[in-house]
Amino acid sequence: MSSQKSNVVAIIVGAGRGVRAGGDVPKQWQALAGRRVADWSVDAFLNHPDINNVVLVHHPDDAAEVATLPTSIAKCVGGETRGQSVLAGLEFSERFNPDQVLIHDIARPCVTNAMISDCLEALRHSSAAALGVKVQDAIWHSSRNKVSHTVDRTRLWRAQTPQAFAFNQILQAHQNQNHDAKDDVEVAREAGIEVTIIDGDDSNLKITTPSDFLKAAQILRGNMDIRVGNGFDVHRFEDGDHVILCGIKIPHEKSLKGHSDADVAMHAITDAIYGALAQGDIGQHFPPSDPKWAGADSSIFLRHAANLASEHGYTIQNIDCTIVCEMPKIGPVSLEMRENLSKIINLSTDRISVKATTSEKLGFTGRGEGISSLATATLVSK
Ligand code: MG
């Protein structure tokens, strides 16, 4: 085998109408664990480091839905049958000049990184391989609703996708086939291509009926890595005429003292994100001893934390910040603060909360000596 890295294309077949799953729109565009079925299926391949191109084969009526998918995905229109759609996807993919192809049904959104890796590993030793699960239940033949005989299940497997092939071989096999095959393994077999079975997993289920959505959501939520971080900060007052909180300048009889712009609220939020990532705090990333950060706009820190979250494979799901002070009044500018934070970390305002409390005139905040702030951030793996 050549040690040169293969050029791999993943074709996601999503041109069907999925009538058995119910709902107002085809199943691939229905909601599942906070996203759409298609988003989960496509992302699994988009996020795999060894997949060079992802091609979605879609129905011509789904152009509006397709337009909302990442631009890094290539899209092409499928045919009337599954076989025609796969062939359309294969012929479209020729432009990428791939050596290998993984063909996957869009209705299997729980496919994992490891399953994709297993398919690619199998292709190092054979020209075709596919995931399957050994049949565990007894299998019957029936006649007029009565068991006629029991089938020997020891050599029976349930087929799954992805199914993986040497690109040119499966392209040719599809071009030569003249009936609608159940899957690409059947097409390959009819062309004389030997297909290796890879151990799959029941979690890689195909969404077929309405109850499958619930099962798939439980699996996907179980795979999620959810992280929570907290942040806390205090800045004391000094002479001045305004404070900056969450990037908003608010007139006040004093200002906050600090090395940067002393945005105590934005610092707490930034530390909450670093905390969720177990990546230290602001002081570690932007040392106060470094004159470069004197008077710095704190949005630099927050943007850095948000980018770090993305680099580590997390999306920020929500932020909750509490500002503790007697004055100035936060309520009137709270929405403006949320909108500003929303722009910096690219998160919608309905996932950002900024609220305030006094400390009942107790302690340093109660005496008006400074402002403190607490924040919580939730991050979820992409
Ligand atoms: Mg600070």
Side-chain angles (χ1 to χ4, degrees), residues 7 9 53 55 74-76 88-98 167 171:
N7 181 353
V9 64
N53 289 285
V55 174
K75 293 111 179 169
C76 81
L90 287 166
E91 289 181 339
F92 178 88
S93 299
E94 284 190 277
R95 71 195 61 198
F96 301 123
N97 207 16
F167 184 81
L171 171 63

Side-chain angles (χ1 to χ4, degrees), residues 59-199:
H59 193 277
D61 292 350
D62 294 347
E65 297 280 9
V66 169
T68 62
L69 289 168
T71 50
S72 50
I73 299 165
K75 293 111 179 169
C76 81
V77 171
E80 275 174 23
T81 65
R82 188 186 183 283
Q84 286 168 8
S85 291
V86 174
L87 179 58
L90 287 166
E91 289 181 339
F92 178 88
S93 299
E94 284 190 277
R95 71 195 61 198
F96 301 123
N97 207 16
D99 314 304
Q100 298 174 337
V101 58
L102 265 55
I103 303 173
H104 184 67
D105 285 335
I106 203 164
R108 291 189 191 270
C110 304
V111 60
T112 63
N113 205 284
M115 290 171 192
I116 295 169
S117 293
D118 287 348
C119 289
L120 294 171
E121 176 60 27
L123 277 187
R124 286 160 53 90
H125 311 288
S126 50
S127 55
L131 291 171
V133 177
K134 268 205 143 175
V135 171
Q136 301 294 351
D137 298 326
I139 301 288
W140 301 325
H141 254 263
S142 68
S143 170
R144 289 193 213 102
N145 231 21
K146 300 253 193 289
V147 176
S148 56
H149 65 275
T150 300
V151 179
D152 177 13
R153 67 173 183 228
T154 53
R155 292 167 62 184
L156 291 182
W157 296 72
R158 287 184 287 118
Q160 295 190 335
T161 67
Q163 299 182 348
F165 306 93
F167 184 81
N168 288 332
Q169 283 189 13
I170 194 70
L171 171 63
Q172 209 171 52
H174 265 280
Q175 283 169 336
N176 293 337
Q177 71 127 15
N178 51 18
H179 69 100
D180 197 34
K182 281 264 175 291
D183 65 4
D184 306 293
V185 164
E186 187 180 334
V187 176
R189 295 256 315 125
E190 284 174 5
I193 302 167
E194 214 169 63
V195 182
T196 303
I197 304 174
I198 309 163
D199 259 320

